[in-house]
Amino acid sequence: MSRRQSLHGQWSSRLAFVLAATGAAVGLGNIWKFPYMTGANGGGAFVLIYLACVLAIGLPVFMAEAMLGRRGRRNPINAMRLLSEEESGGTWWQLVGWMGVLAGILILSYYSVIAGWTFSYTIDTVRGVFVGADSATVTDHFSALMASPGQLVLWHTIFIALTVYVVGRGVEQGLEKAVKYLMPALFVLLLALVAYSMTTGYFMEGLRYMFKPDFSQVTGQTVLDAMGQAFFSLSLGMGAIMAYGAYLPDDASIAETSFTVVLADTSVALLAGVAIFPIVLLNGLNPGAGPGLVFQTLPLAFGHMPGGVVFGTLFFILLIFAAWSSSIGLIEPAVARLVENHNLTRPRAAALIGVVVWVLGLLTVLSFNELSHVTFLAGSIFDNLDFLTSNILLPLGGLLIAVFAGWVMCKSSTVDELEMGIGFRYGIWRFLTRFVAPLALVVIFLNATGMLGLLRSTNA
Ligand code: PHE
């Protein structure tokens, strides 16, 4: 039995871990990114592949990551080094932790800019800007915001400051309190938004768009996007869940807590899609509009529903909180590492990372205006940051975590740490972790790069 202590304290209960991990998981990824990725990939088939990725890869890797975190009880870099010593793996396994720290910093750099859009929309909703608006007004409004680097930097700065503040205060006071009431509130508002969508007359069309798969649209890229989105939305593959697992009490069931978080995260994403697509279709908006989709859609709903100003304001405020609790997960690995290895206080470590992320974020700000003409590989600078992190770094981290938990760690260590016996459920976890997740990840990578086709033709 591992009975290590974490330097940073421990969650007061299993529920606190579930709330914090749900806080990290539920965020812009569910409400902003899931709908626009679904729209960009043609709807139903993407959603189906996404759900398959969540179940077959996301859930087992989530359990594996939380397990490694609790067993190591250190920041992801140190945890991977320690565990791989114990399990006689190579020291290079700590690279998983380093990759995660890098991914977290890169993701937060653009995440913060998008969270900034939410601030701006909150204020405009309060001011009644969207009351009675039509789709042209709302689309122009979004373009005007994108064209203003000054505004984008302002909100980006405020969001980073908020993140640094709460992470600086530490595990107990900072993280636990924020999520307890706000996530359920967001969930309720989403349900109300779905109810509004039901009144639009386009609800069935929306459902069909989201759930009727058209596999002729599916390419290797679609599958890679779906898998990347699963990792992004679950906060997997970059050490956030490992860092949170490090604070998980010894007697909490990893399987049950993981399942709860994965279920909550997936429900929020699906609800967001179900709420948004009827409004997209009703207003003749383009589902493939990209990152602006949700910000061009929700204001139309708030502008036309009864009590829309109050409802919309509340919704955007809760979305800010959801993004805030996710941003904490993004820098926690880096901050924990600085505190453990470089003797910095938490506030200093958080501020240092905050500065780095703020500067990097300027790239994303500019990629929507001054530098929008700079495109390469995946598209704009923002598109490339998103692709590099969601579609490459996180799944690669997940692949290594699965291989470590399934092949490097001896079976008895995993049985000991997961505390679920060696029954059916453990058997499924082990099978998915050893075979299904790693194989699927490798095939999806090869397929998306066209390597699989190449291999096939050389064999033929
Ligand atoms: N899962 C978060 C979201 O969906 C983003 C995130 C990724 C947070 C990785 C932490 C770590 O918004």
Side-chain angles (χ1 to χ4, degrees):
M1 278 278 151
S2 77
R3 288 295 176 257
R4 285 191 187 104
Q5 293 292 314
S6 162
L7 249 173
H8 311 272
Q10 230 179 65
W11 302 112
S12 53
S13 66
R14 182 193 127 184
L15 180 67
F17 170 81
V18 170
L19 286 169
T22 309
V26 174
L28 296 168
N30 308 61
I31 288 164
W32 157 74
K33 197 171 173 201
F34 176 75
Y36 94 74
M37 293 298 282
T38 302
N41 283 292
F46 175 85
V47 174
L48 204 70
I49 300 169
Y50 171 76
L51 292 176
C53 289
V54 167
L55 268 185
I57 307 175
L59 184 59
V61 173
F62 196 105
M63 286 173 62
E65 197 175 323
M67 172 186 82
L68 297 182
R70 184 167 73 180
R71 204 164 178 78
R73 290 237 187 267
R74 279 161 179 68
N75 71 73
I77 300 168
N78 297 12
M80 286 307 291
R81 201 182 48 213
L82 174 77
L83 293 179
S84 96
E85 267 164 26
E86 282 180 0
E87 305 284 341
S88 25
T91 48
W92 66 270
W93 279 103
Q94 63 178 304
L95 274 178
V96 176
W98 283 107
M99 245 170 53
V101 165
L102 175 70
I105 288 173
L106 291 177
I107 293 176
L108 186 57
S109 80
Y110 65 80
Y111 200 85
S112 161
V113 176
I114 316 291
W117 301 357
T118 315
F119 278 112
S120 168
Y121 272 79
T122 310
I123 289 178
D124 291 336
T125 309
V126 175
R127 290 173 46 219
V129 170
F130 303 118
V131 176
D134 57 15
S135 48
T137 319
V138 175
T139 311
D140 289 348
H141 186 90
F142 180 75
S143 310
L145 177 63
M146 291 310 104
S148 165
Q151 281 230 29
L152 296 178
V153 171
L154 171 73
W155 298 122
H156 164 59
T157 310
I158 293 179
F159 188 77
I160 294 287
L162 282 175
T163 303
V164 166
Y165 170 73
V166 105
V167 173
R169 284 186 59 190
V171 176
E172 290 290 324
Q173 308 117 33
L175 311 189
E176 264 178 55
K177 278 185 202 153
V179 268
K180 227 169 197 157
Y181 306 103
L182 301 172
M183 291 302 110
L186 180 67
F187 197 80
V188 171
L189 284 202
L190 262 180
L191 284 178
L193 204 56
V194 171
Y196 170 76
S197 282
M198 284 180 177
T199 68
T200 58
Y202 276 77
F203 192 64
M204 290 320 281
E205 276 85 347
L207 285 187
R208 212 169 297 134
Y209 184 81
M210 264 190 73
F211 295 109
K212 192 162 176 273
D214 170 6
F215 287 104
S216 67
Q217 307 247 345
V218 173
T219 61
Q221 186 58 42
T222 317
V223 186
L224 183 67
D225 278 350
M227 186 191 56
Q229 174 62 17
F231 273 90
F232 184 87
S233 192
L234 295 172
S235 313
L236 270 188
M238 50 78 57
I241 298 306
M242 210 183 287
Y244 283 11
Y247 317 138
L248 185 63
D250 286 317
D251 53 0
S253 154
I254 287 182
E256 276 164 34
T257 45
S258 302
F259 186 78
T260 312
V261 177
V262 170
L263 186 70
D265 184 72
T266 310
S267 317
V268 173
L270 290 178
L271 274 184
V274 170
I276 281 159
F277 281 109
I279 305 166
V280 170
L281 300 174
L282 165 74
N283 291 285
L285 296 168
N286 170 17
L293 183 67
V294 171
F295 291 94
Q296 292 162 346
T297 307
L298 289 178
L300 286 173
F302 302 145
H304 293 273
M305 64 170 63
V309 169
V310 175
F311 185 84
T313 306
L314 269 179
F315 186 89
F316 281 129
I317 289 180
L318 287 175
L319 187 55
I320 294 175
F321 275 101
W324 193 7
S325 56
S326 296
S327 68
I328 290 164
L330 286 165
I331 60 169
E332 179 61 26
V335 170
R337 162 79 186 189
L338 286 177
V339 171
E340 285 171 33
N341 292 49
H342 301 278
N343 231 347
L344 289 186
T345 60
R346 271 188 82 88
R348 272 174 195 236
L352 186 66
I353 304 289
V355 170
V356 173
V357 171
W358 183 84
V359 173
L360 277 172
L362 300 180
L363 282 174
T364 294
V365 166
L366 295 174
S367 87
F368 288 103
N369 36 66
E370 311 301 331
L371 298 180
S372 60
H373 59 281
V374 179
T375 55
F376 51 102
L377 300 171
S380 67
I381 300 176
F382 158 73
D383 291 326
N384 277 288
L385 278 171
D386 180 34
F387 187 88
L388 171 68
T389 50
S390 306
N391 288 9
I392 299 178
L393 289 177
L394 301 188
L396 193 61
L399 171 65
L400 295 173
I401 287 169
V403 169
F404 188 85
W407 296 93
V408 178
M409 257 174 117
C410 66
K411 191 171 171 185
S412 60
S413 310
T414 61
V415 172
D416 172 38
E417 196 63 44
L418 289 174
E419 293 171 331
M420 58 203 277
I422 329 188
F424 181 64
R425 289 189 317 156
Y426 175 81
I428 295 194
W429 172 79
R430 191 155 163 87
F431 178 72
L432 291 174
T433 307
R434 275 165 79 87
F435 301 104
V436 177
L439 262 176
L441 282 162
V442 169
V443 168
I444 294 170
F445 273 135
L446 291 181
N447 196 27
T449 50
M451 300 256 284
L452 210 61
L454 222 67
L455 287 175
R456 236 182 264 134
S457 57
T458 44
N459 281 343

